[in-house]
Amino acid sequence: QVQLQESGPGQVKPPGTLSLTCAVSGASISSNYCWTWVRQPPGKGLEWIGEICPGGNTNYNPSLKSRVTISVDKSKNQFSLKLSSVTAADTAVYYCARGGLWRFDPWGQGTLVTVSS
Amino acid sequence: QSALTQPASVSGSPGQSITISCTGTSSDVGGYNHVSWYQQHPGKAPKLMIYEVTNRPSGVPDRFSGSKSGNTASLAISGLQAEDEADYYCTSYTTSSSWVFGGGTKLTVL
């Protein structure tokens, strides 16, 4: 059974960098899947942030592309998200999910990150 | 990229059927069969309900079904149950090699 677990600081000061990690268990991060980040501002809908796919290929939301970096750490079987120059608008629950095969499944439980000085 | 368009809310009584629409463009919904649907209960992570327009993952009741016509995809739920009350989101792959979600639909079971 594949499980994902997000971790990282719950608060970030603007205009700093938000950094989160997603630990994967039950599957190899090197398998033939993409690994995805999605966020959800409080009371609002889901927004796709980006993904890292086999071979290290990355795809990002065009509206966030200039600020986002997604990377993989094979030695720890985890992947990470970095979002720079954060503002209050980046306050959200951040989810990681396994992508590939044209679906996102399963998802992590999510972690709330608040951007505030 | 603009979010896919979903109705803000739908409702139905137990046992009834409802449909949630998801409208995009030829650059996303209309251009690919890579449309999926997610159910989200309050405070919980989204759960995959339908993928590739019509496919149900194992464990999802066959009361849930998906379809697509042109630039609009739809999620149908028959035999509504109280546990179906949740938010539902569609998503589609796009010509920008990215994914776009719908704004979400709140389903109320009366």
Side-chain angles (χ1 to χ4, degrees):
Chain A
Q1 179 184 359
V2 180
Q3 293 184 311
L4 291 82
Q5 178 68 59
E6 306 89 348
S7 62
Q11 186 165 349
V12 181
K13 294 182 178 180
T17 296
L18 179 159
S19 297
L20 295 174
T21 296
C22 180
V24 178
S25 59
S28 170
I29 198 79
S30 300
S31 58
N32 216 26
Y33 289 97
C34 295
W35 303 96
T36 301
W37 287 97
V38 175
R39 70 181 182 178
Q40 185 171 35
K44 297 188 178 180
L46 301 171
E47 179 180 34
W48 182 80
I49 299 172
E51 64 186 5
I52 187 163
C53 297
N57 296 320
T58 54
N59 295 297
Y60 298 131
N61 186 321
S63 68
L64 299 171
K65 187 173 184 176
S66 63
R67 300 194 290 131
V68 174
T69 302
I70 296 175
S71 60
V72 162
D73 185 337
K74 295 180 181 179
S75 67
K76 296 183 178 179
N77 212 46
Q78 64 186 30
F79 64 107
S80 298
L81 167 70
K82 290 189 185 299
L83 180 66
S84 64
S85 303
V86 297
T87 69
D90 294 310
T91 293
V93 174
Y94 285 77
Y95 293 99
C96 59
R98 185 178 67 176
L101 300 180
W102 311 112
R103 73 196 82 161
F104 305 130
D105 182 55
W107 296 59
Q109 65 184 27
T111 188
L112 174 64
V113 179
T114 302
V115 178
S116 173
S117 55
Chain B
Q1 57 191 20
S2 299
L4 305 177
T5 300
Q6 297 182 231
S9 63
V10 298
S11 62
S13 299
Q16 289 187 332
S17 299
I18 62 96
T19 300
I20 299 172
S21 61
C22 170
T23 301
T25 68
S26 58
S27 295
D28 37 64
V29 175
Y32 302 94
N33 284 328
H34 306 319
V35 175
S36 49
W37 291 89
Y38 300 84
Q39 176 192 65
Q40 186 180 36
H41 287 109
K44 301 294 187 181
K47 174 188 175 184
L48 176 68
M49 304 302 284
I50 295 287
Y51 66 96
E52 292 293 86
V53 177
T54 61
N55 296 296
R56 262 189 328 274
S58 60
V60 173
D62 61 5
R63 302 184 294 102
F64 291 83
S65 62
S67 63
K68 193 186 84 166
S69 177
N71 295 337
T72 298
S74 299
L75 173 70
I77 309 174
S78 61
L80 271 178
Q81 299 182 3
E83 67 208 50
D84 299 333
E85 183 162 297
D87 294 327
Y88 291 84
Y89 294 90
C90 62
T91 188
S92 173
Y93 189 67
T94 82
T95 53
S96 301
S97 299
S98 62
W99 292 83
V100 61
F101 280 94
T105 298
K106 180 178 181 60
L107 169 62
T108 300
V109 180
L110 303 170

